[in-house]
């Protein structure tokens, strides 16, 4: 019979694999976005994979690309918000907001959450608690960081035109 230690390591390994799969997933490109639509762009840059950044569609470019303006990322000279061309497969709609906030009573060990940090939403799982904060482990970066729960949101995945809750 497996010990609790073995069971928790198996669960953690499964969560790591699940989050890595989500982080490297490309989006369904059948959704066509229009100028002015609010979206999230999945980072494909090493060290930032697993993060989604809020942006606005500036214009479509052909069938498979969009010009976007980020909400929280500035250009190199910091004179304006960053505008760049991204693949349609890297874009999803902004997830719907939940009617209820993610409060400490709703946060459990190993829950998958999104954490707002470094100007974007990062996918991780609850790995522990430290005073009023919760530790979140990020499989794509290997970091385990404590955050206040007000920086969390329920994690949801865009799948074939629908939002699916992961918990």
């Amino acid at each position: 019979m497996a010990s609790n230690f073995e069971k928790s390591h198996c669960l953690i390994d499964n969560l790591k694999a699940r989050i890595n799969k989500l982080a490297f997933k490309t989006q369904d490109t059948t959704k066509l976005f229009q100028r002015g639509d609010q979206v999230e762009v999945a980072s494909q840059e090493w060290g930032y994979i697993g993060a989604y950044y809020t942006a606005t569609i500036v214009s479509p470019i052909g069938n498979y690309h969009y010009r976007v303006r980020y909400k929280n990322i500035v250009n190199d000279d910091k004179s304006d918000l960053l505008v760049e061309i991204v693949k349609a497969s890297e874009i999803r709609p902004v997830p719907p907001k939940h009617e209820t906030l993610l409060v400490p009573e709703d946060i459990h060990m190993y829950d998958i959450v999104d954490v707002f940090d470094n100007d974007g939403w990062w996918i991780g799982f609850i790995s522990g608690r430290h005073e009023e904060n919760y530790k979140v482990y990020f499989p794509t970066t290997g970091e385990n960081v404590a955050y206040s729960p007000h920086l969390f949101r329920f994690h949801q995945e865009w799948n074939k035109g629908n939002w699916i809750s992961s918990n």
Side-chain angles (χ1 to χ4, degrees):
M1 175 164 276
S3 70
N4 285 341
F5 179 78
E6 290 169 329
K7 287 179 188 176
S8 69
H9 275 283
C10 182
L11 178 61
I12 289 169
D13 288 344
N14 286 338
L15 283 169
K16 286 180 184 178
R18 184 174 169 198
I19 290 172
N20 279 327
K21 184 178 178 184
L22 294 174
F24 288 96
K25 173 182 148 186
T26 58
Q27 300 300 320
D28 178 8
T29 58
T30 59
K31 165 83 170 153
L32 298 177
F33 297 103
Q34 305 297 318
R35 179 186 172 116
D37 285 351
Q38 299 294 304
V39 296
E40 288 187 344
V41 180
S43 176
Q44 299 302 309
E45 189 175 329
W46 187 251
Y48 296 90
I49 293 174
Y52 282 90
Y53 295 92
T54 306
T56 302
I57 299 292
V58 174
S59 62
I61 305 205
N63 291 328
Y64 302 104
H65 292 85
Y66 290 92
R67 179 174 281 116
V68 299
R69 178 183 312 274
Y70 290 96
K71 179 180 178 182
N72 298 314
I73 303 175
V74 295
N75 58 19
D76 288 338
D77 67 8
K78 298 181 180 15
S79 64
D80 200 0
L81 294 173
L82 178 64
V83 175
E84 71 177 356
I85 297 171
V86 296
K87 296 176 188 173
S89 61
E90 297 169 4
I91 298 176
R92 68 182 191 180
V94 173
K97 293 188 192 273
H98 281 272
E99 295 297 320
T100 58
L101 295 174
L102 194 54
V103 295
E105 295 78 34
D106 295 334
I107 300 171
H108 305 288
M109 190 73 152
Y110 308 121
D111 279 353
I112 297 176
V113 295
D114 294 340
V115 179
F116 193 78
D117 193 10
N118 292 324
D119 300 318
W121 291 101
W122 294 74
I123 304 169
F125 66 86
I126 301 296
S127 60
R129 188 161 184 174
H130 183 263
E131 296 173 2
E132 298 299 314
N133 295 327
Y134 290 84
K135 288 188 175 183
V136 178
Y137 181 76
F138 303 98
T140 58
T141 64
E143 295 178 291
N144 196 30
V145 183
Y147 292 96
S148 171
H150 81 275
L151 296 171
F152 298 165
R153 71 178 181 189
F154 292 95
H155 180 73
Q156 301 173 81
E157 276 301 312
W158 181 246
N159 189 10
K160 299 179 183 172
N162 295 300
W163 286 105
I164 311 288
S165 176
S166 66
N167 290 325

